[in-house]
Every structure is written in C-alpha cells, then in structure tokens.
Amino acid sequence: MKAIGAEPPVLKLDLMAATAAETGVKATADRFGRIDALVNIAGAVLGVDMLQMTNEQWNTGVDLTICGERRLTIHAWEAQKASKGTVVFISGSAAAIPTGAAAVGAINAAI
C-alpha cells in the first residue's frame, strides 16, 4: 500500500469486543473513503485436545474466529457492495487435516 502512496491505518482492536469490528471498519472507510476488500484471517484457538478443552476456551476460540469475522463482514458489507468489493475467509489446514487439537480443525472447518 505504501508503494502506491497509501498509508494504512494501524488499529489495535480486540475482535471479541462488541464494538471493535464497527470501529475498525469505520476507521478504514473514513481513511480511504471506500473498502474494496476484506480478508478475514483472525483466529486464535487454543491447541489442546477438544476433550480436554473447557467450554470457556471453546467459546473464546469461536467468538474470536467465527463471530469476529462475521462481525467484520456485517459492518463492511454496505461499503463492499458500493465498491463491488470482495470478502475472503481464510482457514487453516486443520480444517482438512485435523490433528490432536480437534477444536482448531472444527472451528477452521466452520469458516
């Protein structure tokens, strides 16, 4: 982006916070006047065996990864439609090849 003269905003946001997605999308739209692409790649799922994972650990992984990406997409949707933009969801390989950390694979597969 810098090579074409655009200075990207740097935002420190927790995507699990209710207002983070809206704040991030608004800051981006305000800075550039449009949003042409949204790449959802956020995620942090504890890499432990699903049978040993607590409900809180599971819910945290789902809230950040699936729900955080959903919130970003919802808030960016109107800007995306206006610019005929693109939304991309990125998932890890554990969706296709689950390891001992089955929760990672399940959440990646949901994406």
Side-chain angles (χ1 to χ4, degrees), residues 34-68:
R34 60 188 286 156
I35 298 176
D36 294 320
L38 170 63
V39 179
N40 283 303
I41 193 168
V45 181
L46 191 61
V48 299
D49 186 291
M50 187 166 63
L51 299 175
Q52 297 173 354
M53 182 176 268
T54 67
N55 285 338
E56 182 180 2
Q57 291 167 328
W58 174 269
N59 291 338
T60 296
V62 168
D63 191 34
L64 173 61
T65 307
I66 298 171
C67 298

